[in-house]
Amino acid sequence: MHGDAGCFHCSAALPEGGVIDHLIPISRGGVSTVANMRVVCVPCNASKKDQLMDEWNPLSRLAAPCCQGVPTEVAALALPSQSVQQRSG
């Protein structure tokens, strides 16, 4: 599920391995399957909380140290619209 790709949401390096994010949160009916879990940085995980990908505003996490320098257009447009299949490589 995780290689050296970095955070699923912002591509930040994950020197300590990151944390697991459920694309569909457990609290919203998601399950712990490979298709629903991604490795992310702590700031992105804390920012997303229990939101679905289309509800989450990735701009809210741009102040996090890992995400500084992420182009606004990438954060605003690319990240929330990318599906599991597009990102799972």
Side-chain angles (χ1 to χ4, degrees), residues 3-85:
D4 294 327
C7 173
F8 175 76
H9 299 306
C10 72
S11 300
L14 299 170
E16 296 182 21
V19 296
I20 297 294
D21 176 47
H22 289 82
L23 299 177
I24 301 172
I26 298 291
S27 65
R28 306 275 297 265
V31 293
S32 292
T33 62
V34 172
N36 191 43
M37 297 186 311
R38 293 294 180 264
V39 178
V40 302
C41 65
V42 171
C44 281
N45 193 49
S47 171
K48 184 175 169 279
K49 301 177 186 173
D50 69 345
Q51 299 173 79
L52 299 174
M53 290 299 292
D54 61 350
E55 298 170 338
W56 179 47
N57 177 6
L59 294 176
S60 66
R61 66 160 172 52
L62 288 180
C66 71
C67 302
Q68 291 177 0
V70 173
T72 303
E73 58 275 3
V74 170
L77 302 174
L79 296 178
S81 65
Q82 291 179 343
S83 72
V84 172
Q85 285 118 4

